[in-house]
Amino acid sequence: MPAMKELLKALIEAESTPGKGELAAAEIVPAEFRRAGIDAAIDSWDSNRANIVARVKSDGSRPALLFACHLDVVAPGETPWKHPPFQAVEADARIYGRGAVDMKGGTAAAVTAIKRIVESGANLHGDIIFLAAAGEEVDSCGAIRFAAGPGPGELAGVVIPEPTDFDVVSAHRGMLWLEVATSGKAAHSSKPELGVNAINSMRLILNELEHYEIPAEPHEMLGTCSMSVNTIVGGKALNVVPDKCSIRIDIRTLPGQKTERVVDDFREIFARLKSENPEFDADISVMRTVDALETDRDCDFVKDFCSCVGARETKPIGFTTDGPHLVTFGAPVLIFGPGQPTLCHKPDEYIDITDLEKAAEYYQNIILRFLT
Ligand SMILES: [Zn+2]
């Protein structure tokens, strides 16, 4: 237990925000694995980005199990914290810090479970693969890089130790991030009729979006698709007609939903607005897409996993994960880990120390169930 707590604290203190990158955090884990004689490789790029991959070999008579973590955390935000976000303060039987639940707690528990299995001398029939990926919170660059690599071989399943408070999660919505930009013509605003106001053009789009319904049938577990316009930027000076305005839109998508359809709908709206107003000019670009995740709840892996951890059913979760980038391996993906999902990305994020130990025990049992 002290080792697991110290590992979590070191990972939090490594401050793997988008600004600082993952390399410092990545260097901690191989040292920890080495104590149990496990080799782990750091795959580093762009000076401070990093994935970690470790593989515990078996006799290979069964498919492997992949634990897929992420190393990065979101920035601590503007709101002051009770405990400094990167000091990993232990108080009230908890460890506080950015990443405590999302997802350095689950990562420390997975590393600990793998070490304990190896130290116990268990006779493994399938390999244990451990991935801690870069950039999950931004663009999933680490998971995409891993998925494009040599491949893990045949997998029994993928376990993502994100915080689910020990619910077994088999589905989440996907993401479609769009940027819409209008262009106009700058002019002195004492004579606005000489310009084309890009903010006015954006107003026309926003009015249209009020009534726009995304074409997607509700999903039995995940409910409906959602759309929210979350940023707007436009105008340079109080006395200049603005020639640029842009908004960014977060759409949460359902399994099987065609994101191109939404982009086509937007283009149709722009075309109509232009036909009514020749000076109207707008463009759309896709900033990021992540597919939804939907793992077959009736497959053997899911059933065995649920019985192994004492869960009666699988559930959906509100956030997205690297899971959709790992389904290319053809194995079922489940999310299961310690801590409250509601604490993700919030000030004073923490994990209960008892949950850490519980998670390590669950992961050990899962390894034994599928690989021995
Ligand atoms: Zn996460």
Side-chain angles (χ1 to χ4, degrees), residues 59-77:
D59 66 24
S61 57
R62 285 200 200 166
L65 196 59
L66 169 62
F67 286 88
C69 307
H70 67 83
L71 276 174
D72 61 315
V73 295
V74 294

mmCIF file with all atom_site columns, all heavy atoms in Angstrom, residues 59-77:
data_model
loop_
_atom_site.group_PDB
_atom_site.id
_atom_site.type_symbol
_atom_site.label_atom_id
_atom_site.label_alt_id
_atom_site.label_comp_id
_atom_site.label_asym_id
_atom_site.label_entity_id
_atom_site.label_seq_id
_atom_site.pdbx_PDB_ins_code
_atom_site.Cartn_x
_atom_site.Cartn_y
_atom_site.Cartn_z
_atom_site.occupancy
_atom_site.B_iso_or_equiv
_atom_site.pdbx_formal_charge
_atom_site.auth_seq_id
_atom_site.auth_comp_id
_atom_site.auth_asym_id
_atom_site.auth_atom_id
_atom_site.pdbx_PDB_model_num
ATOM 1   N N   . ASP A 1 59 ? 2.751  -17.750 -21.261 1.00 0.00 ? 59 ASP A N   1
ATOM 2   C CA  . ASP A 1 59 ? 3.021  -18.835 -22.224 1.00 0.00 ? 59 ASP A CA  1
ATOM 3   C C   . ASP A 1 59 ? 2.259  -18.604 -23.535 1.00 0.00 ? 59 ASP A C   1
ATOM 4   O O   . ASP A 1 59 ? 2.427  -19.346 -24.501 1.00 0.00 ? 59 ASP A O   1
ATOM 5   C CB  . ASP A 1 59 ? 2.698  -20.212 -21.608 1.00 0.00 ? 59 ASP A CB  1
ATOM 6   C CG  . ASP A 1 59 ? 1.216  -20.406 -21.319 1.00 0.00 ? 59 ASP A CG  1
ATOM 7   O OD1 . ASP A 1 59 ? 0.372  -19.739 -21.950 1.00 0.00 ? 59 ASP A OD1 1
ATOM 8   O OD2 . ASP A 1 59 ? 0.889  -21.237 -20.442 1.00 0.00 ? 59 ASP A OD2 1
ATOM 9   N N   . GLY A 1 60 ? 1.388  -17.596 -23.543 1.00 0.00 ? 60 GLY A N   1
ATOM 10  C CA  . GLY A 1 60 ? 0.749  -17.189 -24.798 1.00 0.00 ? 60 GLY A CA  1
ATOM 11  C C   . GLY A 1 60 ? -0.373 -18.089 -25.268 1.00 0.00 ? 60 GLY A C   1
ATOM 12  O O   . GLY A 1 60 ? -0.838 -17.968 -26.402 1.00 0.00 ? 60 GLY A O   1
ATOM 13  N N   . SER A 1 61 ? -0.865 -18.971 -24.412 1.00 0.00 ? 61 SER A N   1
ATOM 14  C CA  . SER A 1 61 ? -1.931 -19.869 -24.869 1.00 0.00 ? 61 SER A CA  1
ATOM 15  C C   . SER A 1 61 ? -3.307 -19.198 -24.831 1.00 0.00 ? 61 SER A C   1
ATOM 16  O O   . SER A 1 61 ? -4.282 -19.747 -25.330 1.00 0.00 ? 61 SER A O   1
ATOM 17  C CB  . SER A 1 61 ? -1.932 -21.156 -24.032 1.00 0.00 ? 61 SER A CB  1
ATOM 18  O OG  . SER A 1 61 ? -2.083 -20.849 -22.663 1.00 0.00 ? 61 SER A OG  1
ATOM 19  N N   . ARG A 1 62 ? -3.385 -18.028 -24.226 1.00 0.00 ? 62 ARG A N   1
ATOM 20  C CA  . ARG A 1 62 ? -4.659 -17.285 -24.229 1.00 0.00 ? 62 ARG A CA  1
ATOM 21  C C   . ARG A 1 62 ? -4.425 -15.868 -24.712 1.00 0.00 ? 62 ARG A C   1
ATOM 22  O O   . ARG A 1 62 ? -3.308 -15.362 -24.640 1.00 0.00 ? 62 ARG A O   1
ATOM 23  C CB  . ARG A 1 62 ? -5.207 -17.201 -22.799 1.00 0.00 ? 62 ARG A CB  1
ATOM 24  C CG  . ARG A 1 62 ? -5.798 -18.489 -22.314 1.00 0.00 ? 62 ARG A CG  1
ATOM 25  C CD  . ARG A 1 62 ? -6.721 -18.200 -21.160 1.00 0.00 ? 62 ARG A CD  1
ATOM 26  N NE  . ARG A 1 62 ? -6.923 -19.401 -20.379 1.00 0.00 ? 62 ARG A NE  1
ATOM 27  C CZ  . ARG A 1 62 ? -7.448 -19.419 -19.175 1.00 0.00 ? 62 ARG A CZ  1
ATOM 28  N NH1 . ARG A 1 62 ? -7.778 -18.263 -18.596 1.00 0.00 ? 62 ARG A NH1 1
ATOM 29  N NH2 . ARG A 1 62 ? -7.615 -20.549 -18.539 1.00 0.00 ? 62 ARG A NH2 1
ATOM 30  N N   . PRO A 1 63 ? -5.510 -15.203 -25.167 1.00 0.00 ? 63 PRO A N   1
ATOM 31  C CA  . PRO A 1 63 ? -5.352 -13.804 -25.585 1.00 0.00 ? 63 PRO A CA  1
ATOM 32  C C   . PRO A 1 63 ? -4.957 -12.921 -24.406 1.00 0.00 ? 63 PRO A C   1
ATOM 33  O O   . PRO A 1 63 ? -5.197 -13.264 -23.243 1.00 0.00 ? 63 PRO A O   1
ATOM 34  C CB  . PRO A 1 63 ? -6.738 -13.421 -26.114 1.00 0.00 ? 63 PRO A CB  1
ATOM 35  C CG  . PRO A 1 63 ? -7.617 -14.592 -25.981 1.00 0.00 ? 63 PRO A CG  1
ATOM 36  C CD  . PRO A 1 63 ? -6.872 -15.703 -25.330 1.00 0.00 ? 63 PRO A CD  1
ATOM 37  N N   . ALA A 1 64 ? -4.378 -11.790 -24.728 1.00 0.00 ? 64 ALA A N   1
ATOM 38  C CA  . ALA A 1 64 ? -3.858 -10.870 -23.705 1.00 0.00 ? 64 ALA A CA  1
ATOM 39  C C   . ALA A 1 64 ? -4.953 -9.955  -23.164 1.00 0.00 ? 64 ALA A C   1
ATOM 40  O O   . ALA A 1 64 ? -6.053 -9.870  -23.706 1.00 0.00 ? 64 ALA A O   1
ATOM 41  C CB  . ALA A 1 64 ? -2.740 -10.039 -24.322 1.00 0.00 ? 64 ALA A CB  1
ATOM 42  N N   . LEU A 1 65 ? -4.610 -9.261  -22.081 1.00 0.00 ? 65 LEU A N   1
ATOM 43  C CA  . LEU A 1 65 ? -5.503 -8.268  -21.486 1.00 0.00 ? 65 LEU A CA  1
ATOM 44  C C   . LEU A 1 65 ? -4.762 -6.930  -21.522 1.00 0.00 ? 65 LEU A C   1
ATOM 45  O O   . LEU A 1 65 ? -3.599 -6.855  -21.139 1.00 0.00 ? 65 LEU A O   1
ATOM 46  C CB  . LEU A 1 65 ? -5.771 -8.681  -20.038 1.00 0.00 ? 65 LEU A CB  1
ATOM 47  C CG  . LEU A 1 65 ? -6.934 -8.054  -19.283 1.00 0.00 ? 65 LEU A CG  1
ATOM 48  C CD1 . LEU A 1 65 ? -8.259 -8.308  -19.986 1.00 0.00 ? 65 LEU A CD1 1
ATOM 49  C CD2 . LEU A 1 65 ? -6.983 -8.649  -17.863 1.00 0.00 ? 65 LEU A CD2 1
ATOM 50  N N   . LEU A 1 66 ? -5.449 -5.908  -22.024 1.00 0.00 ? 66 LEU A N   1
ATOM 51  C CA  . LEU A 1 66 ? -4.825 -4.579  -22.120 1.00 0.00 ? 66 LEU A CA  1
ATOM 52  C C   . LEU A 1 66 ? -5.438 -3.632  -21.096 1.00 0.00 ? 66 LEU A C   1
ATOM 53  O O   . LEU A 1 66 ? -6.658 -3.445  -21.076 1.00 0.00 ? 66 LEU A O   1
ATOM 54  C CB  . LEU A 1 66 ? -5.030 -4.014  -23.533 1.00 0.00 ? 66 LEU A CB  1
ATOM 55  C CG  . LEU A 1 66 ? -4.684 -2.532  -23.757 1.00 0.00 ? 66 LEU A CG  1
ATOM 56  C CD1 . LEU A 1 66 ? -3.221 -2.231  -23.502 1.00 0.00 ? 66 LEU A CD1 1
ATOM 57  C CD2 . LEU A 1 66 ? -5.064 -2.099  -25.186 1.00 0.00 ? 66 LEU A CD2 1
ATOM 58  N N   . PHE A 1 67 ? -4.591 -3.064  -20.246 1.00 0.00 ? 67 PHE A N   1
ATOM 59  C CA  . PHE A 1 67 ? -5.023 -1.973  -19.360 1.00 0.00 ? 67 PHE A CA  1
ATOM 60  C C   . PHE A 1 67 ? -4.614 -0.666  -20.033 1.00 0.00 ? 67 PHE A C   1
ATOM 61  O O   . PHE A 1 67 ? -3.426 -0.431  -20.267 1.00 0.00 ? 67 PHE A O   1
ATOM 62  C CB  . PHE A 1 67 ? -4.357 -2.087  -17.988 1.00 0.00 ? 67 PHE A CB  1
ATOM 63  C CG  . PHE A 1 67 ? -4.927 -3.186  -17.140 1.00 0.00 ? 67 PHE A CG  1
ATOM 64  C CD1 . PHE A 1 67 ? -4.423 -4.478  -17.218 1.00 0.00 ? 67 PHE A CD1 1
ATOM 65  C CD2 . PHE A 1 67 ? -5.978 -2.938  -16.277 1.00 0.00 ? 67 PHE A CD2 1
ATOM 66  C CE1 . PHE A 1 67 ? -4.958 -5.501  -16.440 1.00 0.00 ? 67 PHE A CE1 1
ATOM 67  C CE2 . PHE A 1 67 ? -6.524 -3.950  -15.494 1.00 0.00 ? 67 PHE A CE2 1
ATOM 68  C CZ  . PHE A 1 67 ? -6.011 -5.241  -15.579 1.00 0.00 ? 67 PHE A CZ  1
ATOM 69  N N   . ALA A 1 68 ? -5.600 0.165   -20.347 1.00 0.00 ? 68 ALA A N   1
ATOM 70  C CA  . ALA A 1 68 ? -5.311 1.396   -21.095 1.00 0.00 ? 68 ALA A CA  1
ATOM 71  C C   . ALA A 1 68 ? -5.602 2.621   -20.224 1.00 0.00 ? 68 ALA A C   1
ATOM 72  O O   . ALA A 1 68 ? -6.758 2.965   -19.980 1.00 0.00 ? 68 ALA A O   1
ATOM 73  C CB  . ALA A 1 68 ? -6.141 1.438   -22.370 1.00 0.00 ? 68 ALA A CB  1
ATOM 74  N N   . CYS A 1 69 ? -4.523 3.250   -19.757 1.00 0.00 ? 69 CYS A N   1
ATOM 75  C CA  . CYS A 1 69 ? -4.644 4.445   -18.909 1.00 0.00 ? 69 CYS A CA  1
ATOM 76  C C   . CYS A 1 69 ? -4.266 5.669   -19.733 1.00 0.00 ? 69 CYS A C   1
ATOM 77  O O   . CYS A 1 69 ? -3.813 5.541   -20.872 1.00 0.00 ? 69 CYS A O   1
ATOM 78  C CB  . CYS A 1 69 ? -3.681 4.343   -17.728 1.00 0.00 ? 69 CYS A CB  1
ATOM 79  S SG  . CYS A 1 69 ? -3.847 2.817   -16.782 1.00 0.00 ? 69 CYS A SG  1
ATOM 80  N N   . HIS A 1 70 ? -4.443 6.862   -19.150 1.00 0.00 ? 70 HIS A N   1
ATOM 81  C CA  . HIS A 1 70 ? -3.843 8.045   -19.778 1.00 0.00 ? 70 HIS A CA  1
ATOM 82  C C   . HIS A 1 70 ? -3.038 8.810   -18.742 1.00 0.00 ? 70 HIS A C   1
ATOM 83  O O   . HIS A 1 70 ? -3.369 8.837   -17.555 1.00 0.00 ? 70 HIS A O   1
ATOM 84  C CB  . HIS A 1 70 ? -4.862 8.924   -20.490 1.00 0.00 ? 70 HIS A CB  1
ATOM 85  C CG  . HIS A 1 70 ? -5.862 9.623   -19.615 1.00 0.00 ? 70 HIS A CG  1
ATOM 86  N ND1 . HIS A 1 70 ? -5.584 10.804  -18.968 1.00 0.00 ? 70 HIS A ND1 1
ATOM 87  C CD2 . HIS A 1 70 ? -7.142 9.319   -19.297 1.00 0.00 ? 70 HIS A CD2 1
ATOM 88  C CE1 . HIS A 1 70 ? -6.656 11.200  -18.299 1.00 0.00 ? 70 HIS A CE1 1
ATOM 89  N NE2 . HIS A 1 70 ? -7.615 10.316  -18.473 1.00 0.00 ? 70 HIS A NE2 1
ATOM 90  N N   . LEU A 1 71 ? -1.957 9.434   -19.216 1.00 0.00 ? 71 LEU A N   1
ATOM 91  C CA  . LEU A 1 71 ? -1.000 10.095  -18.318 1.00 0.00 ? 71 LEU A CA  1
ATOM 92  C C   . LEU A 1 71 ? -1.312 11.569  -18.107 1.00 0.00 ? 71 LEU A C   1
ATOM 93  O O   . LEU A 1 71 ? -0.876 12.156  -17.112 1.00 0.00 ? 71 LEU A O   1
ATOM 94  C CB  . LEU A 1 71 ? 0.399  10.026  -18.945 1.00 0.00 ? 71 LEU A CB  1
ATOM 95  C CG  . LEU A 1 71 ? 1.219  8.783   -18.728 1.00 0.00 ? 71 LEU A CG  1
ATOM 96  C CD1 . LEU A 1 71 ? 2.504  8.882   -19.552 1.00 0.00 ? 71 LEU A CD1 1
ATOM 97  C CD2 . LEU A 1 71 ? 1.567  8.590   -17.257 1.00 0.00 ? 71 LEU A CD2 1
ATOM 98  N N   . ASP A 1 72 ? -1.991 12.175  -19.057 1.00 0.00 ? 72 ASP A N   1
ATOM 99  C CA  . ASP A 1 72 ? -2.189 13.629  -18.981 1.00 0.00 ? 72 ASP A CA  1
ATOM 100 C C   . ASP A 1 72 ? -3.348 13.984  -18.053 1.00 0.00 ? 72 ASP A C   1
ATOM 101 O O   . ASP A 1 72 ? -4.215 13.150  -17.761 1.00 0.00 ? 72 ASP A O   1
ATOM 102 C CB  . ASP A 1 72 ? -2.445 14.198  -20.382 1.00 0.00 ? 72 ASP A CB  1
ATOM 103 C CG  . ASP A 1 72 ? -3.696 13.614  -21.041 1.00 0.00 ? 72 ASP A CG  1
ATOM 104 O OD1 . ASP A 1 72 ? -3.878 12.381  -20.967 1.00 0.00 ? 72 ASP A OD1 1
ATOM 105 O OD2 . ASP A 1 72 ? -4.502 14.375  -21.590 1.00 0.00 ? 72 ASP A OD2 1
ATOM 106 N N   . VAL A 1 73 ? -3.344 15.220  -17.601 1.00 0.00 ? 73 VAL A N   1
ATOM 107 C CA  . VAL A 1 73 ? -4.434 15.764  -16.782 1.00 0.00 ? 73 VAL A CA  1
ATOM 108 C C   . VAL A 1 73 ? -4.840 17.120  -17.367 1.00 0.00 ? 73 VAL A C   1
ATOM 109 O O   . VAL A 1 73 ? -4.068 17.731  -18.108 1.00 0.00 ? 73 VAL A O   1
ATOM 110 C CB  . VAL A 1 73 ? -4.019 15.976  -15.306 1.00 0.00 ? 73 VAL A CB  1
ATOM 111 C CG1 . VAL A 1 73 ? -3.721 14.655  -14.632 1.00 0.00 ? 73 VAL A CG1 1
ATOM 112 C CG2 . VAL A 1 73 ? -2.840 16.935  -15.182 1.00 0.00 ? 73 VAL A CG2 1
ATOM 113 N N   . VAL A 1 74 ? -6.030 17.578  -16.994 1.00 0.00 ? 74 VAL A N   1
ATOM 114 C CA  . VAL A 1 74 ? -6.411 18.932  -17.402 1.00 0.00 ? 74 VAL A CA  1
ATOM 115 C C   . VAL A 1 74 ? -5.758 19.928  -16.435 1.00 0.00 ? 74 VAL A C   1
ATOM 116 O O   . VAL A 1 74 ? -5.364 19.567  -15.321 1.00 0.00 ? 74 VAL A O   1
ATOM 117 C CB  . VAL A 1 74 ? -7.945 19.131  -17.421 1.00 0.00 ? 74 VAL A CB  1
ATOM 118 C CG1 . VAL A 1 74 ? -8.580 18.258  -18.496 1.00 0.00 ? 74 VAL A CG1 1
ATOM 119 C CG2 . VAL A 1 74 ? -8.569 18.850  -16.070 1.00 0.00 ? 74 VAL A CG2 1
ATOM 120 N N   . ALA A 1 75 ? -5.657 21.172  -16.855 1.00 0.00 ? 75 ALA A N   1
ATOM 121 C CA  . ALA A 1 75 ? -5.069 22.219  -16.010 1.00 0.00 ? 75 ALA A CA  1
ATOM 122 C C   . ALA A 1 75 ? -5.944 22.429  -14.774 1.00 0.00 ? 75 ALA A C   1
ATOM 123 O O   . ALA A 1 75 ? -7.126 22.099  -14.784 1.00 0.00 ? 75 ALA A O   1
ATOM 124 C CB  . ALA A 1 75 ? -4.951 23.505  -16.819 1.00 0.00 ? 75 ALA A CB  1
ATOM 125 N N   . PRO A 1 76 ? -5.362 22.977  -13.692 1.00 0.00 ? 76 PRO A N   1
ATOM 126 C CA  . PRO A 1 76 ? -6.127 23.080  -12.441 1.00 0.00 ? 76 PRO A CA  1
ATOM 127 C C   . PRO A 1 76 ? -7.272 24.096  -12.471 1.00 0.00 ? 76 PRO A C   1
ATOM 128 O O   . PRO A 1 76 ? -8.160 24.038  -11.629 1.00 0.00 ? 76 PRO A O   1
ATOM 129 C CB  . PRO A 1 76 ? -5.082 23.481  -11.399 1.00 0.00 ? 76 PRO A CB  1
ATOM 130 C CG  . PRO A 1 76 ? -3.891 23.923  -12.150 1.00 0.00 ? 76 PRO A CG  1
ATOM 131 C CD  . PRO A 1 76 ? -3.962 23.329  -13.518 1.00 0.00 ? 76 PRO A CD  1
ATOM 132 N N   . GLY A 1 77 ? -7.273 25.006  -13.438 1.00 0.00 ? 77 GLY A N   1
ATOM 133 C CA  . GLY A 1 77 ? -8.373 25.967  -13.542 1.00 0.00 ? 77 GLY A CA  1
ATOM 134 C C   . GLY A 1 77 ? -8.155 27.205  -12.679 1.00 0.00 ? 77 GLY A C   1
ATOM 135 O O   . GLY A 1 77 ? -7.150 27.332  -11.990 1.00 0.00 ? 77 GLY A O   1
#
